[in-house]
Amino acid sequence: MAGLPLLAPHAAPQPMLHVWRGSALGANAELQLHHPDPAEARRLIRDSLDEVARLERQLSLYQPDSALLRLNRDGALAAPPFDLLRLLAEAARFHALTDGAFDVTVQPLWDLYAGHFARAGADPAGPPAEAVAAALDRVGQHRIHLDADQITLRPGTAITLNGIAQGYVTDRVVERLRANGITQALVDMGEARALGGHPMGDAWQVGLEDPAAPGQIAETIPLRNRAVATSGGYGTRFDAAGRFNHIFDPADGRSSWRYAAISVIAPDATTADALSTAFSLLPPERVAELARQAGVTVHVARTDGTRVILA
C-alpha cells in the first residue's frame, strides 16, 4: 500500500478544468480533466467512476464478494475476470524483476500481524517466531496457478493487491480518457498519473508526502505523461510504538523500515506502484540498478530525514 501523492494546486482555478474528489480502493482519490464542454466533462467523469467501480468488483479486498475476496475465500476462481487475471500476470512479472521482493501472497502476514495486535495485551515484540514461520509457509508466488479458465491458490495462501491495484486502476482510467480524446488530465486513484500537461501550459505538480509529517508536502515534482507512486511503512502501523508496518518482506516475514518512504516516477502507474512497494525492501545499490533497467526515477526518503534521488 502506498502513501498518497498530494496534488499541489496551481495558483488559480481554470474554468475548463473539471475536478472530482472521492475514494477508490479504500484510498482518497481525485480526477482533474480539461475539457471545454462541462456536460461532456461530467459524462467522462461518470464514465471513469463506472470503470473504477467495475474494477473494484474484481480487485478490492474491501468490497463484499469481489472476485479477489472469493478467490481468497475458496482457494480457486473459475472463469476469472480479465483484469484480475491480467493484474496477477503483471504481479508475477514484477516478482521476477525484483528478485521476489514484490509478492502479492503476503496477505497471511498481514492477517497475522493485524490479528496479533488487535488482541488485548498483545506482546509488543510482535507475533512469535513460530507463528511468523507458519505464515511464511503460505507465502510465495509459486503458490498461485494462473490459467485463463481458473486461478488456483495452494491451501492457506491469500492475495493482496494493495501494492499494485491502485496504480492499475489509475492506468485504466487514463486509457479511457485518452480513448475519449482527453489530452490533459491528472488521475489519482491512490497513485497519480498525468496525461499531458496542466492546462496552464506547464507540468502537473504533485507533492510527495513527508513521512515524518503525514499530510504535509516534503517535495513537489513536475509530472507530464508520467506516473508517481509512494510506499512507506508510516502509512499503516499495526502497533502503538510504530515498530511494525504493512511493508512485509516475503523472505523473512518481518516489517521493513529500511527507508521512511520510496517514490517511483515511471511511464505508467502500475509500474510505479509495484516498484515503490518492492524497492522498499531492497538495498540502495539494487534499487539503483533496477531503476536504470526499468527506466524509472526513485525518490528516497531516508529514515534520518534526508532525501536522495536514484535514476
Side-chain angles (χ1 to χ4, degrees):
M1 186 179 292
L4 184 67
L6 304 173
L7 306 188
H10 277 67
Q14 300 299 301
M16 292 189 293
L17 185 61
H18 307 273
V19 180
W20 168 88
R21 294 183 179 91
S23 63
L25 290 169
N28 292 331
E30 184 168 335
L31 171 59
Q32 301 185 37
L33 64 88
H34 183 256
H35 200 286
D37 182 349
E40 178 64 6
R42 289 192 295 270
R43 185 195 71 80
L44 290 171
I45 289 172
R46 287 195 303 270
D47 181 70
S48 297
L49 298 182
D50 287 345
E51 175 70 351
V52 172
R54 183 187 71 83
L55 291 168
E56 285 186 315
R57 290 192 291 271
Q58 296 186 34
L59 311 176
S60 174
L61 273 177
Y62 308 103
Q63 187 167 113
D65 206 40
S66 71
L68 179 59
L69 278 178
R70 286 185 280 119
L71 173 60
N72 284 345
R73 180 191 67 209
D74 301 334
L77 185 67
F82 171 78
D83 288 282
L84 177 59
L85 196 64
R86 177 183 178 185
L87 190 51
L88 288 176
E90 283 287 277
R93 181 172 69 86
F94 286 115
H95 179 272
L97 175 66
T98 62
D99 312 320
F102 184 81
D103 195 320
V104 296
T105 68
V106 295
Q107 184 63 26
L109 291 168
W110 175 285
D111 292 338
L112 172 65
Y113 281 83
H116 173 84
F117 285 108
R119 292 192 292 271
D123 184 348
E130 57 269 24
V132 175
L136 273 176
D137 285 342
R138 295 180 278 135
V139 170
Q141 181 66 39
H142 65 285
R143 300 180 64 84
I144 306 173
H145 176 73
L146 294 180
D147 188 271
D149 297 322
Q150 180 164 289
I151 303 170
T152 305
L153 306 179
R154 292 190 185 180
T157 296
I159 290 171
T160 173
L161 296 174
N162 286 352
I164 190 171
Q166 291 172 343
Y168 182 85
V169 172
T170 293
D171 285 337
R172 302 292 75 77
V173 172
V174 167
E175 284 181 355
R176 291 182 78 89
L177 292 175
R178 182 183 284 134
N180 280 277
I182 296 298
T183 58
Q184 293 175 298
L186 185 62
V187 180
D188 178 7
M189 299 299 146
E191 312 298 353
R193 181 174 172 182
L195 180 56
H198 191 276
M200 292 188 68
D202 53 355
W204 296 92
Q205 300 298 312
V206 175
L208 303 185
E209 191 169 41
D210 185 348
Q216 301 299 312
I217 293 177
E219 179 183 1
T220 299
I221 59 170
L223 214 58
R224 186 191 297 268
N225 291 319
R226 303 282 282 181
V228 62
T230 298
S231 291
Y234 70 95
T236 301
R237 303 185 185 193
F238 292 102
D239 60 320
R243 293 176 57 193
F244 299 93
N245 65 66
H246 68 287
I247 307 292
F248 292 114
D249 191 334
D252 61 15
R254 299 295 180 182
S255 295
S256 174
W257 281 111
R258 184 185 289 272
Y259 310 104
I262 290 274
S263 298
V264 174
I265 303 169
D268 62 88
T270 306
T271 297
D273 200 0
L275 291 184
S276 68
T277 302
F279 288 174
S280 298
L281 301 169
L282 298 175
E285 59 274 14
R286 184 58 175 149
V287 171
E289 181 182 359
L290 288 174
R292 289 190 294 271
Q293 181 179 334
V296 304
T297 301
V298 185
H299 290 239
V300 179
R302 298 186 176 120
T303 55
D304 64 2
T306 61
R307 304 180 72 89
V308 66
I309 298 176
L310 304 175

